[in-house]
Amino acid sequence: MKLSLVVPCYNEAENVAAFQNATIEAFSGCGYDYEIVFVDDGSKDATLHQLRKLFQAQACPVKVISFSRNFGKEAAIFAGLHQASGDYVSFIDADLQQRPEIVRDMVKILDEDPQYDVVAAYQDRRGEGKVLSFFKKSFYKVINGLSDINLKSDASDFRTFRRSVADSILALGEYHRFSKGIFAWVGYETCFIPYLAQERFAGTTKWNFRKLLNYAIDGIIGYSTKPLRMATFLSGLSAVAAILYLIVVILQKLITGIDIPGYATIIVLILALGSMQLLCIGIIGEYVGRTFEQSKDRPVYLAKEVLTYDE
Ligand code: UDP
Ligand code: MG
């Protein structure tokens, strides 16, 4: 039985060696074959240099893929999956927030319980701020309400799964990748285990609020067409409002007989309808844009260098 650990790295020069050491320590003496597939996602620091050193030393089997530029974490794990040859594959971050020992526990669950194909870790307790936490919770509510897939809130990309699942994921060549959604879409029996995210070993997080928001929109647009239907509902709503208001105006005219001063009403209506229309165009634009991106059929990533060994 062989395990491949797929590790996306973006500016993680100080972490990769420590990550490898922690992995070797976690797996020493437990009898598993394993390899580490590092993906350098166009880092601007010395990450690639460090990874080359690890590849040359081969303290444990190491493969390295390096991108021509930064393509994002989703592309990085997709590239790693292409190179991973294990019967089990793990997605794990390079910053040691997710401990390799947990992967050992995940593998154990897969070994002992043939019913499960995926073991996913979810964050037990969040060390993050209330605002971010609130937005994350709202995101899961929105996406689960809108789409056909069901995402477990707090579940991370930190997962270990069987070859069959890896092959299913590789078969999905979509350009805008959202791995939480991909996992939910491919299905398979998933066992969720809690884990405690550690402090980052070195460096800083690559996520900020804007990136997270874009990621959330990618998830919602990628897995649901319900926002498009909103335009239909809004048109119905404004038609009903228009009819009701017309009745009010006619009654006012009949009862009081005076002209209704209309300036403010017209301005408010123009603004309200205009913004509704812009919103709907924006939503349609999101889908058209993604269709455009996908129709160009560009690769998800470009690897400029792949260091691998004979298996
Ligand atoms: N990462 C990547 N490409 C990116 C951003 C991040 O490969 O464009 C990697 C990063 O090196 C790390 C993992 O994705 O191994 C998670 O990133 P980070 O630790 O910044 O996210 P957080 O743990 O704060 O959610
Ligand atoms: Mg991290």
Side-chain angles (χ1 to χ4, degrees):
M1 226 28 136
K2 183 175 166 187
L3 167 75
S4 300
L5 291 125
V6 170
V7 191
C9 312
Y10 180 53
N11 297 343
E12 305 281 8
E14 291 137 75
N15 291 329
V16 286
F19 175 84
Q20 189 194 43
N21 292 338
T23 307
I24 293 175
E25 202 173 300
F27 284 92
S28 69
C30 72
Y32 288 120
D33 257 355
Y34 64 95
E35 65 172 3
I36 306 180
V37 184
F38 285 111
V39 185
D40 168 41
D41 185 11
S43 299
K44 294 184 177 60
D45 66 355
T47 303
L48 183 56
H49 177 68
Q50 294 294 336
L51 292 179
R52 284 207 188 99
K53 282 211 286 204
L54 295 182
F55 177 76
Q56 265 142 28
Q58 292 286 332
C60 70
V62 169
K63 291 177 184 167
V64 176
I65 306 152
S66 97
F67 284 180
S68 59
R69 64 167 169 88
N70 179 246
F71 280 89
K73 182 183 175 184
E74 293 288 339
I77 55 180
F78 187 52
L81 202 53
H82 272 134
Q83 297 298 328
S85 59
D87 308 290
Y88 296 150
V89 182
S90 249
F91 289 157
I92 180 167
D93 291 351
D95 54 12
L96 287 171
Q97 284 193 287
Q98 304 164 343
R99 299 294 308 179
E101 293 83 43
I102 303 173
V103 179
R104 210 179 46 203
D105 301 339
M106 291 171 155
V107 171
K108 205 157 156 234
I109 295 177
L110 290 178
D111 266 347
E112 283 170 4
D113 204 337
Q115 173 204 347
Y116 290 120
D117 298 302
V118 183
V119 182
Y122 66 90
Q123 231 162 300
D124 201 7
R125 198 154 32 92
R126 282 184 189 281
E128 52 199 22
K130 282 210 170 71
V131 179
L132 194 60
S133 194
F134 166 78
F135 276 108
K136 284 194 175 171
K137 276 210 189 86
S138 316
F139 162 70
Y140 284 107
K141 271 202 197 117
V142 170
I143 194 165
N144 286 335
L146 285 179
S147 63
D148 302 329
I149 55 169
N150 194 15
L151 300 187
K152 183 171 169 53
S153 70
D154 296 357
S156 57
D157 299 335
F158 183 24
R159 287 162 194 252
T160 303
F161 44 89
R162 293 183 200 279
R163 171 77 359 215
S164 48
V165 183
D167 290 339
S168 304
I169 295 173
L170 284 172
L172 303 181
E174 57 211 68
Y175 187 76
H176 286 276
R177 303 188 73 80
F178 176 69
S179 57
K180 290 185 193 10
I182 288 177
F183 273 107
W185 190 88
V186 296
Y188 293 99
E189 274 316 310
T190 304
C191 171
F192 287 98
I193 59 167
Y195 87 103
L196 205 63
Q198 311 290 317
E199 284 292 311
R200 230 174 190 283
F201 184 73
T204 51
T205 176
K206 277 78 198 181
W207 292 97
N208 53 34
F209 190 73
R210 184 179 56 82
K211 275 196 180 173
L212 278 176
L213 189 67
N214 281 335
Y215 187 67
I217 293 176
D218 263 353
I220 292 168
I221 304 283
Y223 285 88
S224 168
T225 50
K226 281 192 189 143
L228 285 174
R229 217 169 295 155
M230 210 175 78
T232 321
F233 290 130
L234 281 179
S235 73
L237 205 70
S238 57
V240 171
I243 292 168
L244 288 180
Y245 190 61
L246 183 71
I247 295 171
V248 172
V249 170
I250 292 173
L251 286 181
Q252 271 182 327
K253 178 79 184 160
L254 290 177
I255 294 166
T256 62
I258 48 161
D259 282 341
I260 291 116
Y263 177 72
T265 326
I266 288 171
I267 296 291
V268 169
L269 283 181
I270 287 176
L271 286 179
L273 286 177
S275 54
M276 265 195 239
Q277 281 167 345
L278 287 178
L279 176 71
C280 294
I281 292 173
I283 291 172
I284 295 169
E286 291 284 342
Y287 286 92
V288 174
R290 277 167 178 72
T291 315
F292 172 60
E293 294 280 2
Q294 187 69 47
S295 70
K296 285 192 281 191
D297 208 17
R298 291 195 175 155
V300 175
Y301 62 88
L302 289 176
K304 67 174 179 198
E305 189 175 351
V306 178
L307 304 172
T308 178
Y309 52 83
D310 291 332
E311 293 185 62

